[in-house]
Amino acid sequence: QQQVKQSPQSLIVQKGGISIINCAYENTAFDYFPWYQQFPGKGPALLIAIRPDVSEKKEGRFTISFNKSAKQFSLHIMDSQPGDSATYFCAASSAGNQFYFGTGTSLTVIP
Amino acid sequence: DTGVSQNPRHKITKRGQNVTFRCDPISEHNRLYWYRQTLGQGPEFLTYFQNEAQLEKSRLLSDRFSAERPKGSFSTLEIQRTEQGDSAMYLCASSLARDPVNEQFFGPGTRLTVL
């Protein structure tokens, strides 16, 4: 079964807008929640990650919001730029063992 | 370049043939992961190594798939008797296992096409 559920499947945002991608999980043993960015023909690249002992982490224009009780976490991209157009994956793992990825969100930022 | 490298980048083979892919991780990384990614999907975990020990293998992984990391450095993934359903991007990632950070760095992948 899908261990990490991601939505939406695709997202179109105007330049300067906020992009929001959501993920949900069931396994309470997960202790590491990264977000990856992938461009066509490339491997995923780590964007930002969070552990469940904090509710928010911000790095530049990228913020993860984490809700432990709801078992949900989301990625917010502020001031979205055309260069942010890519596919984004959330993931989860326990003790760095098997990583479970969401199905991805294709983001298009319109100039 | 000190990133993760994978070879070959592309492989086209006929159904029934065997193929082998190689991954060279970042030199000091002791963990190495293999994933498979099909179009429009997220990476699917196949297996991972810590040093030369294979610690976990996906239950979805067919017996036709085998991976090795003989000296705890590079790794190979072999697919025997390939099937058209094996067509996918095969990704390798490496990390340095330490608490609390376990950042994975991905290679560019090997795209396999089975005719």
Side-chain angles (χ1 to χ4, degrees):
Chain A
Q1 73 274 20
Q2 193 72 29
Q3 294 271 351
V4 179
K5 295 181 180 179
Q6 183 173 347
S7 64
Q9 187 175 5
S10 62
L11 183 61
I12 299 174
V13 173
Q14 293 279 351
K15 178 183 175 182
I18 302 173
S19 304
I20 302 174
I21 305 171
N22 301 298
C23 283
Y25 66 96
E26 287 298 324
N27 189 344
T28 55
F30 289 150
D31 60 3
Y32 179 67
F33 301 89
W35 283 91
Y36 290 87
Q37 180 188 57
Q38 186 175 29
F39 293 102
K42 305 287 187 181
L46 179 69
L47 200 58
I48 186 172
I50 198 168
R51 297 221 172 239
D53 51 345
V54 297
S55 60
E56 185 174 284
K57 183 174 181 180
K58 184 176 181 179
E59 289 183 1
R61 297 185 294 110
F62 302 94
T63 300
I64 299 180
S65 296
F66 187 83
N67 186 329
K68 189 174 181 178
S69 61
K71 292 185 281 188
Q72 295 176 346
F73 58 110
S74 60
L75 175 70
H76 296 236
I77 306 174
M78 312 300 288
D79 187 26
S80 299
Q81 299 296 312
D84 297 331
S85 297
T87 300
Y88 293 80
F89 295 96
C90 61
S93 78
S94 172
N97 298 323
Q98 183 169 346
F99 277 69
Y100 297 91
F101 282 77
T103 50
T105 297
S106 175
L107 172 65
T108 302
V109 180
I110 299 172
Chain B
D1 189 348
T2 57
V4 178
S5 62
Q6 293 187 246
N7 288 288
R9 293 292 310 277
H10 303 273
K11 179 71 177 178
I12 299 174
T13 191
K14 293 182 179 179
R15 187 177 57 184
Q17 297 295 305
N18 299 344
V19 294
T20 300
F21 309 140
R22 176 176 170 130
C23 172
D24 287 89
I26 293 172
S27 59
E28 67 270 24
H29 284 184
N30 56 354
R31 283 191 173 180
L32 188 149
Y33 303 78
W34 284 100
Y35 294 88
R36 175 171 60 193
Q37 186 177 25
T38 53
L39 197 63
Q41 297 296 315
E44 175 190 21
F45 171 82
L46 295 179
T47 188
Y48 95 95
F49 295 82
Q50 181 151 322
N51 300 313
E52 64 274 10
Q54 188 172 17
L55 295 188
E56 197 165 338
K57 186 175 177 181
S58 170
R59 283 171 286 180
L60 301 175
L61 202 59
S62 159
D63 289 344
R64 297 183 295 105
F65 287 70
S66 62
E68 293 183 342
R69 195 182 183 198
K71 297 183 179 179
S73 56
F74 73 92
S75 175
T76 58
L77 177 69
E78 182 183 17
I79 308 174
Q80 296 181 328
R81 304 181 303 282
T82 52
E83 301 173 356
Q84 288 184 327
D86 297 331
S87 295
M89 175 76 84
Y90 290 84
L91 294 164
C92 173
S94 71
S95 71
L96 185 62
R98 62 186 181 196
D99 195 39
V101 177
N102 188 29
E103 179 179 352
Q104 288 187 79
F105 293 83
F106 279 84
T110 294
R111 181 164 295 283
L112 173 66
T113 301
V114 181
L115 301 176

